[in-house]
Amino acid sequence: MLYKRMPIEKESPEEIGYGNIHYNLSESSVTDITVGELNLSINDLTLEYTGHRGKPALRELIVQDFINLDKENVLLTNGAAGALFIINSSLLTADDHLIVVRPNYATNIEVPSTIGCSISFIDLHFETEWKLDVQQIEAAIQPNTKLISITTPHNPTGMLISEAAIDEIILIAERHNIHLLLDETYRDACFKTPYPLAATKSNKVITVSSLSKAFGLPGLRIGWLITQDEVMMERFLAAKEMIYISNSVLDEEVAYQFYLQKEKFATEINKKCLQNFEILKEWLQKESRMECILPEGGVVCFARFKNKLPIDTNKFYDVLMSAYHTMVGPGHWFSMPDTYMRIGFGWTNELVLQQGLQNISAAIDASLL
């Protein structure tokens, strides 16, 4: 595989340096949690190899609220990114075909591209409120199609695919003997996804999630994939063992102790995110040069400059960063024009968010032609 760096990672805040960004609206997660907030008990933890599937008690907690699932349906991975890599590299070869929604989180597109498989994109459009046309998925199926890849709540738009649409896609996958990858990383973020985990519905479904986006623990690198397909689970486990054998026993234990009290954190996290969402909506109502389909899930939105706005986008992003030390996620992170930008409203406090949004308006003023 010939790897190349993805712009979303190459230009990320952690690569630029958090100290250089005073108003970080580029983050796609909630506020990071500190170790001190978790009240951990780890002094007796032995730093040994852990079970390759992951800590059984944590895997049980992850699926405890879902029918048809138990810990054997869960594989702990190195973040959701690790799960996506395992799934794509296990299911796809250069001779296969993938159907994937676009725009999307870069890994969902770039990993299959690196594998070399052919890809049919199902493009979402602002003009149709980022809604997914399920019939386009079936029309794109080829004899060598192995995987359909969708995301809900969607990154970067915040669009939520309805349960009826998901059920329809599952029927398509079953009818054609294709696996369906559903990235549900944001299902617990802010608005909460109002229907069951997709992996409960069919053994053709593979669900991916993590503790990073919705719970503010990206530094733990704990994610997971869930499937009822025992044959595929064995293949995914083999891939994990070849790549890194097992997760960090320390990360898994911290994740487990967090999960025991996660609802306490989730209540405060989502309260703050919804308050920030109101700030974002108020700014969008006032900023007449931008438009946005308001998100239905997650903690990001995908806004854009209004059509025919005479603006130098290169200058805008340069001014925003150099003059205002403010960062958003430019459209090219998602293979879209830079007239689009992902704005995260879950990571910062309300004062930083308010000022960051005002800085976007000021950078627009400075970049008009």
Side-chain angles (χ1 to χ4, degrees):
M1 294 173 67
L2 182 61
Y3 294 101
K4 62 178 182 179
R5 298 188 73 191
M6 297 177 288
I8 193 172
E9 304 301 348
K10 189 176 182 179
E11 302 168 15
S12 64
E14 57 268 25
E15 286 295 287
I16 292 174
Y18 285 106
N20 299 315
I21 309 167
H22 300 166
Y23 305 95
N24 188 354
L25 276 58
S26 69
E27 297 291 348
S28 57
S29 58
V30 303
T31 306
D32 301 327
I33 294 174
T34 67
V35 172
E37 293 175 84
L38 296 177
N39 297 313
L40 299 173
S41 176
I42 57 174
N43 287 345
D44 295 328
L45 180 66
T46 302
L47 299 178
E48 60 189 356
Y49 281 110
T50 187
H52 298 182
R53 291 170 176 80
K55 186 178 178 70
L58 176 56
R59 288 156 51 216
E60 287 177 353
L61 286 176
I62 288 170
V63 294
Q64 66 180 352
D65 296 326
F66 303 114
I67 60 170
N68 304 334
L69 299 176
D70 60 36
K71 68 179 187 298
E72 300 307 314
N73 303 122
V74 183
L75 179 66
L76 298 185
T77 60
N78 193 296
L84 294 171
F85 186 88
I86 285 171
I87 293 164
N88 282 295
S89 61
S90 298
L91 281 171
L92 300 170
T93 71
D95 296 324
D96 295 320
H97 174 250
L98 164 74
I99 300 170
V100 63
V101 169
R102 184 175 61 181
N104 211 317
Y105 178 57
T107 298
N108 285 323
I109 294 174
E110 295 303 326
V111 172
S113 295
T114 302
I115 291 169
C117 68
S118 60
I119 303 176
S120 292
F121 294 106
I122 306 299
D123 286 321
L124 306 177
H125 301 283
F126 186 98
E127 290 74 17
T128 53
E129 299 185 339
W130 306 118
K131 297 302 182 184
L132 178 64
D133 183 347
V134 174
Q135 297 311 309
Q136 288 186 13
I137 292 177
E138 183 145 35
I141 291 174
Q142 300 177 13
N144 61 336
T145 303
K146 290 289 183 66
L147 184 65
I148 301 167
S149 177
I150 63 177
T151 303
T152 185
H154 185 253
N155 184 3
T157 69
M159 173 268 296
L160 187 70
I161 301 175
S162 70
E163 185 175 12
I166 289 175
D167 289 344
E168 192 174 350
I169 297 168
I170 290 173
L171 289 175
I172 292 170
E174 291 176 337
R175 189 160 57 245
H176 293 275
N177 195 29
I178 298 169
H179 281 92
L180 170 62
L181 167 59
L182 204 61
D183 186 338
E184 294 192 86
T185 303
Y186 284 107
R187 70 170 290 111
D188 293 309
C190 194
F191 303 93
K192 299 231 178 195
T193 304
Y195 45 75
L197 191 77
T200 63
K201 294 173 174 286
S202 170
N203 67 358
K204 286 299 179 184
V205 177
I206 308 159
T207 286
V208 167
S209 193
S210 78
L211 293 180
S212 299
K213 303 298 186 185
F215 297 109
L217 295 169
L220 284 186
R221 308 313 303 138
I222 290 293
W224 53 85
L225 63 85
I226 301 175
T227 180
Q228 297 185 59
D229 188 330
E230 295 179 4
V231 174
M232 287 311 307
M233 178 60 82
E234 190 71 8
R235 189 185 300 182
F236 296 150
L237 177 59
K240 178 183 177 181
E241 290 171 332
M242 290 183 189
I243 299 168
Y244 51 91
I245 303 176
S246 61
N247 289 74
S248 158
V249 67
L250 180 59
D251 286 2
E252 288 193 1
E253 180 60 29
V254 174
Y256 170 68
Q257 292 190 28
F258 165 79
Y259 224 91
L260 290 172
Q261 52 183 327
K262 80 177 177 72
E263 290 308 317
K264 176 185 71 175
F265 287 95
T267 298
E268 291 303 313
I269 288 170
N270 290 332
K271 178 181 177 181
K272 173 188 171 183
C273 291
L274 288 170
Q275 290 172 342
N276 281 357
F277 181 54
E278 292 301 317
I279 293 171
L280 174 68
K281 287 197 297 183
E282 182 179 349
W283 175 76
L284 286 168
Q285 290 171 354
K286 294 178 180 177
E287 181 45 81
S288 61
R289 296 164 297 186
M290 297 198 70
E291 55 188 352
C292 180
I293 307 300
L294 291 177
E296 302 167 315
V299 289
V300 294
C301 69
F302 206 41
R304 72 176 184 182
F305 300 123
K306 285 188 175 178
N307 286 336
K308 299 182 181 179
L309 182 72
I311 188 168
D312 182 335
T313 55
N314 290 330
K315 184 177 181 181
F316 166 78
Y317 288 106
D318 179 64
V319 168
L320 188 64
M321 187 64 191
S322 61
Y324 295 102
H325 303 284
T326 301
M327 188 175 184
V328 295
H332 70 262
W333 283 7
F334 311 96
S335 303
M336 293 286 283
D338 279 343
T339 49
Y340 289 85
M341 69 186 73
R342 187 183 70 183
I343 300 174
F345 56 89
W347 194 76
T348 66
N349 62 46
E350 61 181 82
L351 294 178
V352 170
L353 177 61
Q354 287 172 334
Q355 187 60 57
L357 294 171
Q358 292 175 25
N359 292 346
I360 293 174
S361 294
I364 294 174
D365 291 336
S367 306
L368 294 174
L369 298 174

